[in-house]
Structure formats: structure tokens, C-alpha cells
Amino acid sequence: MRLLKILPILALFLLASANADAQCKAFAKKVCLPELASYTHDGNYHAAVLVEGEEAELYKTFYSDMDYRIAICGEDKLPNIEFRIMDANKNVLYSNKEHDYAKTWDFKLQSSQQLKLIVKVSSFNQAGDTPASGCVSIMFGFKMKK
Amino acid sequence: MNRNHRMCSGLLMVVIMSTIILAGCKSGGNKAPKEDLTVEVPKDNATVYEDIKQAERIFNALPSPLESAMLIKSAGARFDESLLNPVGSVNKYVTNKSMALNLGIYTCDLSFASLYEQTQLIIDYMNAAKKMADGLGILKAIEQSTIDRLEENINNSEVIMEIVSETFMNSNSYLEDNGQPAIAAMTLVGGWFEGLYISTQLVDMKEFNGNKLVGRIIDQKLSIDILISLLESSKGDPAVDELIGQVNKLKVVFDKIKITTSPVRPEFDQSSNTTVLKSEVQTDMTPEVFLELSKTVGEIRNSFVK
């Protein structure tokens, strides 16, 4: 009997989840993709619904003959999105927190490197409230080095 | 009081369930293995926050087929149609695994043809990729209108690359959003192997030393662990398990190559508003190791397209 009560709720949230995913894709395309501007989007899709305080990590190899732009966007209902880029020795190479939470970062490499990207949804710091959640999208654009 | 308490508990349960579901693997990225999936009802929001903080999400980003093709071109390689998987093979691929791998392979070939402005091949390979996407049930990834747009802009390489990028994103986002991360991973693996296969085949052994393309191939060692990690997130799927075995064979060869990198020094270039990550790298791939690598890549790629 209890299960019968829970199942519709579960179904409702599964539907909500599917809807959230579709919204995330639309958000990534409409809001984040234009941030790449003249850079060619690599075509990969990295987006997820994140909650205040939640972190995500991404590992990617970047190559020496390319110019890159990283664009990281969060829905308006989320607090600032922080991101840091680290090398294999965990040295922080860039933090957008020191650049007024910039959404994009342009860079190139002298030699190819595997880098780690850490994305964190900061917190509104309002104890007792339901944590805000929303889409966060990570996109990479590139162009051949001139 | 009791009623209120029950309502609050119920509400909290709903919030927790929704958080768990929303934070699930469907929305892209993989859960960190350390995450405990046991559901407990925490007593307050602070505990909820703690649980969320532990629910780290990990993305493993392989070079996309478009990026792989771009790397080949930037190394100054020539175009060779005979290296591509013939479009006439499309009907051979009937399993989800073969369609997923060949969606990646055809997308890489399409990207390669696009970058070298091979107009007829661009249309042919877009149709081949569409056939794979349709076979996988990926709705609206590549519609007839996309092919029409491609034909209308066949001499505009910028628009073509935009279309290729868009169709690939449509495919992998559909797969991620519809709970098919294993298929999404296999698509990426197919594209990555195709790029590596084409690169290894284009190396002229007479010009091995100082060859830029060889440098690009060595760089792929940096992605092999990402590739394995990507596949391991779908471990248990027989098709993926088989791929993990094949990729591990390749890793054994890549492990024979040593890459030494100096610490990375970020330097901001004001004129271009760009950060330059400076570092020096030393590698030591011998022609023998290259030939072994080339043979292994060829065997694996040919098992994908047969």
C-alpha cells in the first residue's frame, strides 16, 4: 500500500529528471554555446544538474597546436559557478574566482597536457533553505593556432 | 504535531529522492566510484548538503571526432580517402555496439572530409552517420534538413564544421539524457580510434624523426587513461567489457612511450588576451614501438569496421 503511494511520486520525479535533462541540453545550446564565439565547438556534451555546493571534475587532454576556449555556464537561479584548471601535479593554473567568476577562459599550450577542470557551484549560504539546483554546462571550443 | 512531523519527513524524503534522481547519471558525467548509493533519511539540511558534496561528478572528455580530425590537419597531414571506412559498409552494422562505434568512426571521417573540403564525401559521410544515428534510435540527431543545410553550404567550411559539431552534440546528448552512457562512450571510442588509425597510417617512416604527426600520436597516450575510465563507468556491459580488453592491449604499447613534462607555467599574453601554458616535453618513441602501436591500432579499428 505504501509502495503504491511512493511509485507515482517516483514516476513523477523520473519524468522531472528527463525533463531537466532536456532543459539542460537546451540551456547548453542556447546559453553556453554562444560563449564560444569564434571558436569551433568540439561537439562534446558535458552538462548536468548540479546543486549548491556540488563539485564536478573533468579530465581532458589539450593539444599544443590549438587555441582553446573553455566556457562554463550555470543557470541564473544558481549562485556563482567557480572553476579551476589544474595540471597533472595539481598546480592551479587558472581560477575564475580571481577574475570575477568569468564564464570563459582562453588559453594555448606550448606542449600537450592532460588538465583537470574542477567546477563548483558556490553556495548562497542561507542555512535552512532548500539548496538551489540547476544546469551547469561545460563546453570546449578550439581553433588552429595562427 | 505528529501530522506535521510526518509531512515534513515526507517532504524531506521527496527532496532527497528528487536530488538523488536529478543527480543521477542520466544528466551526463559519471558518478565517482566512492559514492555510497545507500539511501538514508538525514535529519537536517546540513546532512543533505554533506551528502551532496560527496556526490562528485566526473566527466571524462576524449577528443571529439572533429577535434581528432583537426589535430591531423594541423599536423600538416595529407588527405587519403582510402583510409576512411567506406560508406558502402553501413548495412553491415546492425548491433548497437557496431552502430555506436561506427557513428563515431563515420563522424571522424566526415570531419576529416570536411576539413579537406571533399564536398561529395561530406554528403556521403553525413548520410552514413545519419544511418548509424537512426539505427541507434537517436531522434533528431541528423535530420533531412541538416543534410539540406549541408548541401546548401557545401563550400562554406565554417558552416560545415558547425553542422558536424552540432550533429555530434545532438547524438551524444541524446544518449546521455536517455540513459545510454555506454552507447555514448562507444561512439566517442569509435571516433578516437578512427583519428588515431588515420594518423598512424599517414606517417611516412622515411620522415619519422621530427614528424609532427608522430608527436600528435604520442600525445594520445595522455588520453588513454581517460578512455579507460570512460569505459569503466559502464563496466559490466559485455560490449564495453570487450572494448576495455582491447584498449588495455593498446595501453600496454602506449606504456612503452615515456613522456616527461616540465612544470607548467601560465603566462598571460595581453596582446591576445590569452594565457599561454608554458612547459617543455620530452618523449622517446622508437620506430619499432611506433610500428607496434600502428599494428595494434589497425587491428582494433579493423575489428570495429568489419
Side-chain angles (χ1 to χ4, degrees):
Chain A
M1 195 63 187
R2 198 181 165 92
L3 189 69
L4 283 173
K5 283 181 184 172
I6 292 172
L7 276 176
I9 297 170
L10 196 63
L12 189 73
F13 280 104
L14 280 171
L15 278 172
S17 168
N19 191 35
D21 291 335
Q23 280 175 4
C24 243
K25 184 181 161 190
F27 168 77
K29 271 180 138 177
K30 279 184 191 157
V31 178
C32 215
L33 198 56
E35 295 285 344
L36 293 178
S38 61
Y39 289 77
T40 303
H41 176 223
D42 67 0
N44 280 338
Y45 173 72
H46 313 288
V49 175
L50 297 184
V51 185
E52 263 182 75
E54 195 175 2
E55 262 189 19
E57 291 177 0
L58 184 143
Y59 296 84
K60 180 172 166 63
T61 303
F62 296 92
Y63 300 91
S64 57
D65 273 346
M66 302 282 195
D67 286 353
Y68 287 98
R69 171 171 287 188
I70 292 179
I72 296 176
C73 320
E75 281 189 290
D76 286 344
K77 60 186 171 183
L78 287 172
N80 287 326
I81 310 293
E82 300 173 29
F83 72 91
R84 277 171 291 149
I85 313 286
M86 296 162 93
D87 67 8
N89 298 318
K90 297 185 180 174
N91 297 313
V92 177
L93 306 173
Y94 176 82
S95 166
N96 77 328
K97 210 173 169 179
E98 291 158 21
H99 299 269
D100 201 20
Y101 296 99
K103 280 185 187 170
T104 61
W105 183 50
D106 296 347
F107 66 103
K108 52 191 169 190
L109 306 96
Q110 196 173 26
S111 60
S112 303
Q113 301 282 339
Q114 191 195 113
L115 301 178
K116 179 180 174 180
L117 168 65
I118 299 175
V119 178
K120 186 181 178 187
V121 181
S122 33
S123 181
F124 282 127
N125 286 323
Q126 287 169 325
D129 286 354
T130 304
S133 72
C135 286
V136 175
S137 169
I138 306 167
M139 285 194 161
F140 300 101
F142 57 81
K143 48 188 170 188
M144 273 195 250
K145 220 181 249 182
K146 285 168 196 160
Chain B
M1 179 71 182
N2 269 348
R3 199 175 161 207
N4 281 343
H5 182 72
R6 273 206 309 273
M7 274 177 70
C8 287
S9 303
L11 195 63
L12 193 57
M13 180 75 173
V14 166
V15 170
I16 292 156
M17 282 172 68
S18 66
T19 305
I20 291 161
I21 293 163
L22 286 171
C25 59
K26 280 177 68 183
S27 52
N30 306 310
K31 287 285 189 186
K34 67 183 177 188
E35 190 196 355
D36 183 3
L37 291 174
T38 310
V39 180
E40 284 182 359
V41 181
K43 290 190 178 83
D44 51 44
N45 270 353
T47 323
V48 176
Y49 268 100
E50 279 314 303
D51 284 353
I52 290 164
K53 278 179 188 169
Q54 283 174 16
E56 258 179 13
R57 206 172 293 257
I58 308 226
F59 293 99
N60 293 292
L62 276 183
S64 69
L66 186 58
E67 190 176 3
S68 294
M70 185 79 100
L71 289 168
I72 297 171
K73 186 164 187 202
S74 72
R78 66 192 157 84
F79 181 79
D80 185 347
E81 185 185 340
S82 71
L83 295 175
L84 313 184
N85 186 23
V87 289
S89 298
V90 282
N91 293 323
K92 289 200 290 190
Y93 311 124
V94 290
T95 63
N96 278 351
K97 181 188 175 188
S98 63
M99 284 189 285
L101 288 169
N102 282 284
L103 172 58
I105 288 171
Y106 281 133
T107 307
C108 186
D109 292 345
L110 164 66
S111 307
F112 197 46
S114 304
L115 289 170
Y116 288 85
E117 295 166 7
Q118 302 289 314
T119 51
Q120 186 52 49
L121 288 180
I122 295 170
I123 307 288
D124 294 345
Y125 277 91
M126 182 59 92
N127 276 311
K130 176 174 165 41
K131 176 117 181 165
M132 298 297 100
D134 289 348
L136 289 165
I138 303 171
L139 303 174
K140 295 180 178 176
I142 308 170
E143 294 181 291
Q144 188 51 46
S145 58
T146 313
I147 311 255
D148 295 343
R149 204 172 130 220
L150 199 66
E151 284 174 355
E152 283 161 21
N153 293 282
I154 203 69
N155 293 314
N156 187 337
S157 57
E158 229 169 78
V159 176
I160 289 172
M161 288 213 293
E162 222 174 77
I163 295 171
V164 173
S165 157
E166 191 184 312
T167 53
F168 193 66
M169 179 172 157
N170 285 345
S171 299
N172 62 46
S173 60
Y174 179 92
L175 293 168
E176 289 288 353
D177 289 352
N178 287 278
Q180 299 179 66
I183 300 284
M186 285 191 269
T187 304
L188 280 168
V189 170
W192 185 80
F193 265 97
E194 184 70 347
L196 189 54
Y197 170 75
I198 293 172
S199 308
T200 52
Q201 296 301 307
L202 286 172
V203 170
D204 182 351
M205 291 306 286
K206 287 179 214 146
E207 295 168 10
F208 184 79
N209 290 324
N211 190 321
K212 216 171 170 185
L213 199 52
V214 173
R216 281 282 159 265
I217 292 162
I218 294 171
D219 285 345
Q220 299 311 312
K221 176 184 160 85
L222 299 167
S223 290
I224 196 91
D225 289 330
I226 297 176
L227 179 61
I228 291 169
S229 182
L230 177 73
L231 288 170
E232 281 190 338
S233 60
S234 296
K235 209 173 174 179
D237 179 317
V240 170
D241 290 349
E242 195 187 343
L243 283 175
I244 293 173
Q246 289 177 300
V247 175
N248 276 327
K249 274 187 199 163
L250 181 63
K251 183 175 159 53
V252 170
V253 188
F254 264 124
D255 283 347
K256 293 179 182 175
I257 306 167
K258 202 173 162 193
I259 301 180
T260 317
T261 313
S262 68
V264 183
R265 310 174 304 278
E267 286 180 16
F268 186 68
D269 175 19
Q270 280 193 324
S271 63
S272 60
N273 210 20
T274 300
T275 305
V276 184
L277 300 179
K278 298 210 163 174
S279 63
E280 289 75 40
V281 69
Q282 281 190 321
T283 59
D284 68 349
M285 182 163 70
T286 61
E288 292 72 31
V289 171
F290 172 77
L291 289 173
E292 190 184 349
L293 185 76
S294 179
K295 184 169 172 270
T296 309
V297 171
E299 282 168 3
I300 297 172
R301 185 270 190 181
N302 289 337
S303 76
F304 294 171
V305 300
K306 72 175 182 199

